[in-house]
């Protein structure tokens, strides 16, 4: 047998980029076909960042940086940026960066590489409050990407206060004060924005799920006010998938203390997540037909927690099977097993989101395996 030390030593020779390339090839087959769902010809994507726990080694503190608390104690952490397809349930990319890195900079890298995965398909990306920078908005337009961004309170105050309706086109002025305050922006880029003078955007007033009233910023010409608001509400799905990654698939349980293991495990988990979601989607189609056929009171969905456990138990043996016919049979059986575990989709009355410290501890999260 191979010792754990020997296994990890050999792992250091594995380039973690292989998992990103495998994920890209896996998704290119999907987006190259006709199955992809969207809105009016657009893929609906969501971009968001999160902080991830990683092994607290000296190498990781040097590579990814560290977080401190009020007592001066520090531990290594990493920032992750995720680009997620909310309609087709795939993670297109996961960026792993230093804890003090800029989310806007990392998002640009993912947007620039988007066509390598989805080809020439049009994209609409949903962003939270950190992405309302003038420079970032202009970057998206130069990339040919449509966007919906939730504005921070008080941002573009003059333009917001001058609105006559809850949905209208507004000119954002590139004032010298605004251009000077742009962080992580080169002098050349600031000059380009100053010379451009203004950006035309559409502003939509909306009441969010947390009962806060605010503004959405978009360059979409299509869709009415209600449609824009409903589209943005789909962004919540990326938050749900962070929960799946971290608490169901143990995304942060890295197998070693070297920095290369962090990239290997995070990108391998991204690929595994997409395979699992592909299987769940296949099982979900059958569950939807059955719920309609049997006239269930509620629409039914696959129990994701159990589906992940079934995948973990069966997928390796499935891939090790050399007989193609047997492999196909086992593949169908795995989907059929997932279909046995369904739960109703209930639209319950929502309440304002409340943060609870106890929910941040892993012992309070039910594992998938």
């Amino acid at each position: 047998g191979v010792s754990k030390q020997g296994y990890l030593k050999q792992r250091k020779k594995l380039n973690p980029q292989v998992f990103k390339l495998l994920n890209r090839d896996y998704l290119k087959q999907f987006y190259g076909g006709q199955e992809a769902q969207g809105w009016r010809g657009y893929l609906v994507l969501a971009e968001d960042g999160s902080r991830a726990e990683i092994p607290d080694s000296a190498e990781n503190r040097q590579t990814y940086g560290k977080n401190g608390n009020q007592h001066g104690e520090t531990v290594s952490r990493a920032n992750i940026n995720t680009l997620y397809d909310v309609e087709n349930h795939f993670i297109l990319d996961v960026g792993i960066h230093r804890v003090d890195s800029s989310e806007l900079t990392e998002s640009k890298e993912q947007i620039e590489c988007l066509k390598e995965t989805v080809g020439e398909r049009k994209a609409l990306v949903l962003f939270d409050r950190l992405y309302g920078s003038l420079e970032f908005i202009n970057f998206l337009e130069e990339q040919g990407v449509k966007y919906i961004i939730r504005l921070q309170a008080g941002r573009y105050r003059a333009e917001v206060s001058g609105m006559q309706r809850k949905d209208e086109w507004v000119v954002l002025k590139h004032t010298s004060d605004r251009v000077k305050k742009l962080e992580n922006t080169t002098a050349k880029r600031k000059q380009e924005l100053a010379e451009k003078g203004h950006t035309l955007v559409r502003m939509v007033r909306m009441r969010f799920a947390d009962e806060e009233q605010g503004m959405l910023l978009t360059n979409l010409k299509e869709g009415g006010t209600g449609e824009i608001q409903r589209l943005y509400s789909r962004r919540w799905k990326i938050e749900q998938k962070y929960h799946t990654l971290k608490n169901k698939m143990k995304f942060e349980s890295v197998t070693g203390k070297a920095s290369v293991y962090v990239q290997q495990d995070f990108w391998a988990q991204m690929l595994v997540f997409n395979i699992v979601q592909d299987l769940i989607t296949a099982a979900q189609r059958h569950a939807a037909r059955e719920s309609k056929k049997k006239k269930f009171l509620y629409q039914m969905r696959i129990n994701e927690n159990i589906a992940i456990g079934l995948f973990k138990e069966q997928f390796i043996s499935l891939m090790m099977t050399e007989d193609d016919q047997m492999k196909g049979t086992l593949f169908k059986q795995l989907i059929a097993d997932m279909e046995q575990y369904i739960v109703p989709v209930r639209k319950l009355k929502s309440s304002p989101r409340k943060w609870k410290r106890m929910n941040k501890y892993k012992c309070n999260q039910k594992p998938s395996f």
Side-chain angles (χ1 to χ4, degrees):
V2 179
S3 66
K4 182 178 179 181
Q5 291 81 1
Y7 166 71
L8 290 175
K9 186 176 180 180
Q10 292 301 313
R11 277 266 306 265
K12 285 190 175 182
K13 300 177 182 178
L14 176 62
N15 187 340
Q17 289 286 337
V18 70
F19 297 109
K20 290 195 76 171
L21 294 174
L22 283 170
N23 185 62
R24 186 172 296 167
D25 286 346
Y26 185 80
L27 295 180
K28 281 171 71 175
Q29 295 180 47
F30 173 79
Y31 289 107
Q34 303 299 318
E35 293 182 67
Q37 301 294 311
W39 175 82
R40 298 196 180 193
Y42 292 97
L43 295 174
V44 183
L45 315 179
E47 173 83 36
D48 195 27
S50 180
R51 194 149 291 179
E53 295 181 14
I54 57 176
D56 188 30
S57 66
E59 182 182 349
N60 282 335
R61 288 195 294 273
Q62 178 68 29
T63 304
Y64 297 108
K66 51 194 177 184
N67 258 10
N69 60 19
Q70 67 270 31
H71 305 295
E73 299 170 345
T74 59
V75 290
S76 55
R77 289 287 186 270
N79 271 355
I80 56 174
N81 267 65
T82 304
L83 186 60
Y84 176 69
D85 185 335
V86 300
E87 297 292 337
N88 300 295
H89 318 297
F90 288 126
I91 291 177
L92 303 185
D93 197 5
V94 169
I96 311 160
H97 311 284
R98 284 186 59 86
V99 74
D100 53 1
S101 62
S102 164
E103 280 191 30
L104 296 184
T105 301
E106 316 312 339
S107 296
K108 286 181 181 180
E109 292 182 9
Q110 294 181 331
I111 297 295
E112 287 173 336
C113 296
L114 182 59
K115 286 187 177 180
E116 295 179 23
T117 303
V118 304
E120 296 301 319
R121 287 180 179 271
K122 296 188 296 182
L124 164 64
V125 190
L126 314 175
F127 296 97
D128 205 354
R129 284 172 277 203
L130 294 178
Y131 297 85
S133 160
L134 269 179
E135 195 280 328
F136 189 70
I137 291 168
N138 278 271
F139 164 80
L140 293 173
E141 293 190 346
E142 289 162 7
Q143 293 292 317
V145 171
K146 299 296 184 182
Y147 58 82
I148 303 177
I149 303 172
R150 179 177 178 178
L151 281 189
Q152 287 177 316
R155 199 160 204 171
Y156 308 126
R157 192 186 304 271
E159 288 83 356
V160 170
S161 61
M163 291 177 63
Q164 302 298 312
R165 300 180 301 278
K166 65 183 295 186
D167 181 353
E168 66 178 81
W169 289 89
V170 173
V171 173
L172 295 183
K173 295 180 180 179
H174 297 188
T175 63
S176 58
D177 190 48
R178 284 175 177 173
V179 173
K180 282 179 184 177
K181 289 180 179 178
L182 292 174
E183 297 180 3
N184 303 312
T185 306
T186 64
K188 180 182 177 183
R189 183 62 171 162
K190 287 182 179 180
Q191 184 180 352
E192 290 173 354
L193 291 171
E195 290 174 355
K196 183 178 179 182
H198 70 273
T199 300
L200 183 64
V201 298
R202 180 180 175 187
M203 284 188 173
V204 179
R205 199 176 300 276
M206 175 180 176
R207 184 171 293 281
F208 298 94
D210 55 12
E211 296 302 316
E212 181 183 341
Q213 188 167 337
M215 303 298 299
L216 296 177
L217 198 70
T218 182
N219 58 348
L220 273 174
K221 295 179 180 178
E222 304 96 324
T225 304
E227 252 184 312
I228 298 298
Q229 294 174 347
R230 286 190 292 274
L231 273 172
Y232 183 78
S233 68
R234 303 285 286 168
R235 201 202 70 84
W236 182 248
K237 285 185 173 288
I238 194 172
E239 305 286 359
Q240 295 174 322
K241 293 311 172 184
Y242 270 135
H243 171 65
T244 297
L245 281 170
K246 291 184 176 183
N247 301 318
K248 296 181 182 180
M249 297 183 67
K250 305 303 180 187
F251 186 67
E252 298 165 304
S253 298
V254 179
T255 50
K257 293 190 174 182
S259 296
V260 68
Y261 302 147
V262 175
Q263 291 184 329
Q264 287 176 353
D265 282 14
F266 279 17
W267 285 333
Q269 283 280 49
M270 170 180 66
L271 175 61
V272 170
F273 173 93
N274 284 337
I275 297 172
V276 171
Q277 293 300 315
D278 212 356
L279 293 168
I280 291 176
T281 299
Q284 182 63 47
R285 292 194 195 102
H286 184 264
R289 288 195 297 268
E290 284 297 299
S291 62
K292 189 174 182 180
K293 179 180 176 182
K294 295 181 180 180
K295 298 182 179 179
F296 290 144
L297 180 61
Y298 296 102
Q299 181 184 351
M300 308 303 287
R301 64 173 177 83
I302 302 298
N303 187 316
E304 184 183 62
N305 209 49
I306 294 178
I308 292 170
L310 291 169
F311 175 88
K312 184 240 181 184
E313 291 174 357
Q314 300 179 33
F315 194 72
I316 292 178
S317 60
L318 187 157
M319 296 304 295
M320 295 290 287
T321 302
E322 295 183 2
D323 184 271
D324 289 342
Q325 187 173 355
M326 178 59 69
K327 185 178 290 187
T329 301
L330 292 174
F331 183 80
K332 291 177 182 176
Q333 185 59 50
L334 175 55
I335 294 175
D337 290 344
M338 291 180 178
E339 291 172 10
Q340 300 304 307
Y341 300 93
I342 55 176
V343 291
V345 179
R346 294 188 177 96
K347 293 184 179 180
L348 303 176
K349 183 180 179 180
S350 62
S351 57
R353 183 186 181 192
K354 293 182 180 180
W355 184 84
K356 294 183 180 179
R357 182 177 295 276
M358 62 183 178
N359 288 340
K360 294 294 181 180
Y361 290 96
K362 296 295 185 288
C363 60
N364 289 324
Q365 304 290 348
K366 183 178 180 181
S368 301
F369 46 84

